[in-house]
Amino acid sequence: MARLEIGQIIAVIKEKLPGAVVEEVLDGVDPFVVVKTEQWGETALLCRDDSRLGFDLLSCISGVDYPEREEGPEIEVIYHLDSMVNHHGLTIKVKLPRGDPRVASVEEIWRTADWHERETYDLVGVVFEGHHNLVRILCAEDWVGHPLRKDYEPPDSFHGIKNVIY
Amino acid sequence: MNEAKIRTEEMLLNMGPQHPSTHGVFRVVVRTDGELVLESESHIGYLHRCFEKCAEGNNYLQVVPYTDRMDYLCAMMNNWGYAAAVEKLAGIEVPERAEYIRVIVAELNRVASHLLAFGTYGLDIGAITPFLYAFRDRERILKIFEKLCGQRLNYSYVRVGGVTFDMTDEILADIEAFCDYFDPKIIDEYDNLLSYNGIFISRTANVGVIPAELAISYGVTGPSLRGSGVQRDLRRDAPYGIYDRLEFDVPVGSGEMGQLGDCWDRYMVRMREMRQSIRLVRQAVKDIPEGPFCDKKAYRAVKPKAGEVYKRVEGARGEVGFYIVSDGTNIPYRVKARAPSFCNISILDKLTSISNVMIADLVAIIGSLDIVLGEVDR
Amino acid sequence: MSEIENRNPDPLTKNVVFMSAIDDVINATRANSVWPLTFGLACCAIEMMATGAAKYDLDRFGSGPFRGTPRQSDLMIVAGTVTHKMAPRVKRLYDQMPEPKYVIAMGGCVIRGGPYVKHGYHVVKGVDLLIPVDVYIPGCPPRPEALLEGIFKVQKLMKREKILDRTRRTTKPEVYQPV
C-alpha cells in the first residue's frame, strides 16, 4: 500500500467530506488538522474505511484545557491515528467550548477509544456522546472535579484522609 | 444424580486489587457459572499517581524521574521516549555516542523486563523454579546498571540531550561478558524449563486467542500484537535513534502449539525477542564511537518554542507515546503519556465474552498480556 | 520489684514473674518465622520480589512464604504508593490481619508521599495516615538489603512482645494525625 504525504491525506479528506477541515497547520514540528466538531463522526469513519487512508490504529486520545485563548476558553481533544498498512500517520484535533465540551464518541469505530474516552472524561471533563458507559476510570468513583483542568483545586481531605502538602 | 435436577446459580467473584497473580493492583469482577467465566469487568485506577499533573508543575528536566516510575520495569525506554519527544520539539541534536549508549541500555532493559515477565508468568501458572532462574540473570543486568548509573530500578539515565553518565570501557567489557554468558546456554535453559513443558503448553495453548483485527482495533501493540501474527515493530517501521543501522529480526507468533494468537504465542515472542535484543547489544557495543555523551548546553536549559509533538518508541510492552504541548516556557503545558499496557489490558473484557474462559485461564491471559499497573494508571 | 512491675503492665497478673521466660521462647519462635502478606503495589514490589528471589534470599530468615491472604500473615509490607482509591482496601486488609501484627512502610511514597507529595491529588501522603506503621524504610526504591534490615527491626520488635499484651496496646504506634 502507498504511503501518502500529509498534504495528500488532507486532500483525500477534503474530497470526500468538503467543509469538514476547518484548519490545517503543516509547518510545526508535527502537522495537524482541525475538524468541525459536528462532522467528527463521519471523518473518523472515512479515516478508517477509505483504502487510501487506512487508519486502523488509534494510538492516543488526549484532552488539553486552554482556559485563556483569544477566541474564548476552549478544550481541545487530539486524536493520533496510525496506519499499519500504509505506514503513515495523522493528527486530528477537535476544538470544543470549555463551558460545555461535547463531541461524538468513536468507540464503535476504534474499540480502543472506549477506555481512552473514559479517561479524558475523568481527567478533563469532555463528554463523549454515544459512549455506552462514560464513568470515571482512573480516579476514585466518587471523586469530584476534573483534575487536569488548569483551575483545579485538590480537595483538603477525601473520606477522612487529609491531603497534606508538606 | 440427574444433572437437570441440580440447581445452579451464577456467582459474582471479585479478583480484588490485592491478589497474588494480578501483577499489581488490578481488579476484575467476574460473573461465573461454576468455573466458566460468563462476563468480566475490569477496574483500574488503583495506582493513579497523577503523572500528568506532576509534569505540569515541574520543568522539562524534572519530569524525567516521573517517567521512570510509570513503567518501572523498562524505565530506560520510557525515559528515552520522553527525551526523544522533547528533543524533537526543541530541535536538540543528540551526539552519536549517546545514541549507541541508549540502544545498549534500552535493549538490556528489554531483556530484564522480559525475564521478569517470564519468571512471573511461570509463578502464575504454578511453576516456582523459573522465577528464581529469571531473577538470577536479572540481577546480573541490574548489577551492570548499578555500575553505570547507581540505580537498580528507576534509572532516570536517559536525559534530554543524551545520557547522564558515560559508559566506561570496563562497563562495556561487563556487557560483552554478560552477552556471552546469556546468549548460548541460558536461553536454551529457559526453553527447557518452561516453554516446551507439557503442563505449560496445556495451560497456555489455545487459551486467550486474540484475532489480529481485534487486536489492532483495541490498540494492542508490542509482543501481544506480534503474537497474533501482525508484523509491527516501531524499531523497524518508524526507526528512531540508530535502529536503522542495526540488523535484527522481528519475531511474530506462528500458531505453533495451538491457534495463532494464543497465550503461548505471546510468551514465545518474548523469549525470541530476548535473543534479538542480545544481538542488537552486541552490534552496538562493537560499533560504539568515541565522543561526547551528552549535549551539555541543551541539558542545562530546555526551553522549546511553543508547539506540540507526539513521539512514539517501542517499549517492552508496546508503543510508548508522549504527546507534549509547550507554551514557550521551561515548564511543559501538557504531557500525555500513551501507555501500552492501558490498551493491552482493555481487551480482557472482550476475550471473556468471545471465547470460553475458565477462571484459571483468566490468570494465564493476564500474565501473557504482561501488564504493569504503573503505566496503566499513570 | 519495680522492674518486674514495669515489664508487666497488666494489673491482674502484676506479680507473676514466670511469664517472662515463656515470653522469650515464644518471641524467639515468632521472630524467626515472620510471614509477610503479598502487598506489592508499585515499583517497590519489584524490589520486594528481588529480596525474595535467590540473590538476597529472604527465606533463610524465615520470611519465605508470602501469604496471599491477610488472615495467615503477621507482617504487612506496604510496598508502593497508596492512592485514595486503594486506601479503603488497605484499611480493610490491615483489619483482617490477626493480632499481633506489624506494618513495614517500604519506599518513599508510603512514608510521606515520595515524589508525588506536591502535585499528587490522588495519592495518600503516607500510609501512616491510615494504619499504624512500625518500621519505615526510605528509598526509591530501597535496596533489598534495606528491606532485609527492616525485617530485622521487626524481628527485634517481636522479641519485645509479651503474651499478656497480645494486642500490643502499649507498644503499637499511633496513626499519624497531621496538624
Side-chain angles (χ1 to χ4, degrees), chain B residues 17-20 24-25 27 43-51 53-54 56-58 65-66 69-70 72-73 116 120 131-132 135-136 138-139 142-143 146 151-154 373, chain C residues 37-44 46-47 49-50 52-56 67-70 80-83 85-86 89 93 109 115-123 140-141 143-144:
Chain B
Q18 190 261 346
H19 193 273
V25 278
R27 177 172 172 227
H43 296 261
I44 59 172
Y46 293 94
L47 199 56
H48 177 53
R49 291 185 285 189
C50 337
F51 159 69
K53 195 78 179 177
C54 289
E56 290 177 17
N58 294 305
Y66 291 104
R69 282 146 178 88
M70 265 188 1
Y72 34 85
L73 291 177
L116 194 138
T120 51
F131 174 75
L132 299 170
F135 266 76
R136 170 194 68 180
R138 202 181 123 87
E139 290 290 337
L142 295 189
K143 199 166 176 186
E146 200 185 353
Q151 251 282 24
R152 282 163 51 97
L153 203 63
N154 298 322
L373 265 301
Chain C
L37 169 70
T38 58
F39 201 49
L41 300 168
C43 350
C44 287
I46 308 296
E47 290 294 55
M49 277 160 48
K55 188 169 177 188
Y56 301 100
R67 311 312 293 161
T69 163
T81 323
V82 177
T83 59
K85 198 167 181 180
M86 190 67 193
R89 280 89 179 173
L93 284 169
C109 292
Y116 307 101
V117 67
K118 205 163 165 213
H119 300 279
Y121 48 85
H122 198 244
V123 167
C140 194
R143 286 192 59 103

Side-chain angles (χ1 to χ4, degrees), chain B residues 58 104 186 198 265 284 302 311-312 345-346:
Chain B
N58 294 305
I104 295 175
I186 295 296
D265 274 332
V302 178
K311 179 77 183 163
R312 38 166 73 98
I345 200 64
S346 62

Side-chain angles (χ1 to χ4, degrees), chain A residues 120-132:
Chain A
T120 314
Y121 164 70
D122 186 1
L123 296 179
V124 184
V126 179
V127 175
F128 290 90
E129 291 163 337
H131 197 280
H132 72 281

Side-chain angles (χ1 to χ4, degrees), chain C residues 43-124:
Chain C
C43 350
C44 287
I46 308 296
E47 290 294 55
M48 193 167 69
M49 277 160 48
T51 316
K55 188 169 177 188
Y56 301 100
D57 194 11
L58 195 51
D59 201 1
R60 55 193 160 133
F61 302 112
S63 300
F66 275 75
R67 311 312 293 161
T69 163
R71 310 245 185 227
Q72 296 169 1
S73 56
D74 45 10
L75 171 68
M76 183 156 106
I77 307 182
V78 186
T81 323
V82 177
T83 59
H84 281 293
K85 198 167 181 180
M86 190 67 193
R89 280 89 179 173
V90 175
K91 186 82 178 80
R92 177 184 277 206
L93 284 169
Y94 178 75
D95 290 337
Q96 283 179 346
M97 283 168 70
E99 294 281 2
K101 51 195 175 189
Y102 296 83
V103 174
I104 289 185
M106 177 181 177
C109 292
V110 280
I111 297 182
R112 278 291 173 264
Y116 307 101
V117 67
K118 205 163 165 213
H119 300 279
Y121 48 85
H122 198 244
V123 167
V124 174

Side-chain angles (χ1 to χ4, degrees), chain B residues 248-285:
Chain B
F248 61 103
D249 298 322
V250 173
V252 287
S254 53
E256 241 176 87
M257 288 289 161
Q259 279 183 293
L260 178 64
D262 57 12
C263 293
W264 197 89
D265 274 332
R266 291 193 279 280
Y267 160 84
M268 207 54 198
V269 163
R270 286 191 189 100
M271 303 304 286
R272 294 190 176 133
E273 264 185 19
M274 282 204 274
R275 280 198 176 97
Q276 299 303 317
S277 288
I278 297 291
R279 200 170 148 198
L280 279 164
V281 171
R282 273 197 216 273
Q283 288 173 49
V285 168

